[in-house]
Amino acid sequence: MMKKSTLSLLVATLILVASTAFAAKMATVDIPVKAELYATAPAALTPQQCAQCHTGAFNGLKNAGGKHRFDCQACHTVIHAYNPKKGNYDEVMPKCASCHTDVHGPANKDCASCHNNPHTPRKVAMTQRLATTCATCHADEKAELVKFPSKHTNVSCDRCHTSHGFKPSCFMCHKPHFKDQPVEACAKCHSVHKPKQVTYQGTDWNQTCASCHSKVAAKLFNSKARHSKVACASCHKSKHGYIPQCTECHKAPHPQSILTRFPNCLGCHLDVHDLPSMK
């Protein structure tokens, strides 16, 4: 009985010694201290360093960041502080109002409803909300549509501008005037918000004119008179439908006595698009 008690005591002693040694081991750090590593405050992360983890945000800023392409920490003054238990996402995220005032007026303060990604502020989806408030910023374009009624006036902005800033090709809705007409030629005559107010930039539009005025064009182009060498827009200048006076080019082609007796040029020169050849 004595031996058994002695053995139990010995086992208990060994367990106590082992546990004490283990606790001491757990409380001891074997890694050498290097206090000099913490002597200098670290430099702020660069955008390139942030991008090593936040590649999506970086590429968004790179491709469509607009004026948001500056140092990340100019907005993110608190970083890596989100705690899902605290639910402090709104607290640590930067606020638009920190830099931006009422850019689009006091009625449009919910920035994220249009700019849903602050890293791509120039990519704005054309939502119905946005389509109904275009005139807030684009007042001149709206005024033109109202002042100069056309089919464009009755079309919602988002019918053409499917995303904010997107300028569609005219050929999305309209056929070209002639085969292989370049789309760039459309804007030379038509202002998109007042398309029926046709004006000309330059004079090289004979093929365009002929697409609608085919009979007159055929007569003119087949004529042997000098008018056949003149661009349509040289006479019908400035705006569509303008009818010039002969005296704008021909000041005094005949003696005054003839001009007095026949003041109307077309009384003799019956068709300006097919005049008698002077050769």
Side-chain angles (χ1 to χ4, degrees):
M1 186 72 175
M2 192 68 172
K3 289 183 179 180
K4 198 170 185 179
S5 298
T6 304
L7 182 61
S8 298
L9 181 61
L10 179 62
V11 170
T13 302
L14 290 172
I15 292 173
L16 177 62
V17 171
S19 62
T20 303
F22 181 74
K25 183 69 174 178
M26 288 293 292
T28 302
V29 177
D30 289 336
I31 303 173
V33 174
K34 293 186 177 181
E36 67 275 9
L37 295 176
Y38 300 89
T40 305
L45 293 175
T46 66
Q48 287 72 27
Q49 289 171 321
C50 296
Q52 291 176 15
C53 294
H54 304 283
T55 53
F58 181 86
N59 289 328
L61 287 164
K62 177 183 177 182
N63 298 322
K67 293 183 178 180
H68 280 192
R69 287 176 290 186
F70 44 69
D71 196 311
C72 304
Q73 293 183 66
C75 280
H76 298 281
T77 55
V78 178
I79 59 173
H80 298 168
Y82 173 65
N83 187 326
K85 290 186 177 180
K86 293 181 179 179
N88 62 336
Y89 187 83
D90 288 340
E91 181 182 337
V92 301
M93 285 296 104
K95 306 297 184 291
C96 302
S98 299
C99 297
H100 304 284
T101 54
D102 295 343
V103 178
H104 304 302
N108 299 292
K109 291 188 176 183
D110 50 338
C111 308
S113 65
C114 293
H115 303 281
N116 53 22
N117 185 346
H119 301 109
T120 57
R122 297 181 65 180
K123 285 187 176 181
V124 180
M126 183 57 79
T127 62
Q128 187 59 36
R129 158 75 188 283
L130 185 61
T132 57
T133 58
C134 296
T136 303
C137 296
H138 305 285
D140 292 342
E141 288 78 2
K142 179 65 176 179
E144 285 185 347
L145 287 165
V146 173
K147 185 178 180 180
F148 303 100
S150 69
K151 290 183 179 180
H152 285 192
T153 305
N154 300 321
V155 174
S156 175
C157 301
D158 59 342
R159 174 65 178 81
C160 295
H161 304 286
T162 53
S163 64
H164 186 265
F166 173 70
K167 295 181 179 180
S169 166
C170 299
F171 297 157
M172 286 178 61
C173 298
H174 305 282
K175 293 181 180 180
H177 284 297
F178 57 87
K179 185 180 179 181
D180 298 328
Q181 177 191 3
V183 69
E184 295 80 12
C186 302
K188 298 292 185 180
C189 297
H190 301 279
S191 175
V192 293
H193 298 109
K194 48 179 182 180
K196 295 177 73 174
Q197 305 298 308
V198 181
T199 58
Y200 308 122
Q201 296 179 34
T203 58
D204 189 22
W205 306 113
N206 281 9
Q207 194 171 5
T208 302
C209 299
S211 65
C212 291
H213 306 283
S214 55
K215 292 182 179 179
V216 172
K219 188 187 299 183
L220 177 66
F221 299 156
N222 291 323
S223 173
K224 298 185 181 300
R226 292 178 182 178
H227 278 192
S228 65
K229 307 298 181 185
V230 177
C232 303
S234 294
C235 293
H236 303 283
K237 54 192 175 183
S238 301
K239 64 180 182 178
H240 186 259
Y242 174 74
I243 299 176
Q245 297 298 312
C246 300
T247 52
E248 291 181 27
C249 295
H250 307 284
K251 299 299 181 184
H254 302 295
Q256 187 59 46
S257 59
I258 295 178
L259 294 176
T260 302
R261 290 179 59 190
F262 304 101
N264 184 1
C265 303
L266 297 183
C268 298
H269 304 283
L270 303 178
D271 191 339
V272 293
H273 297 105
D274 188 19
L275 294 170
S277 173
M278 302 300 291
K279 293 182 180 180

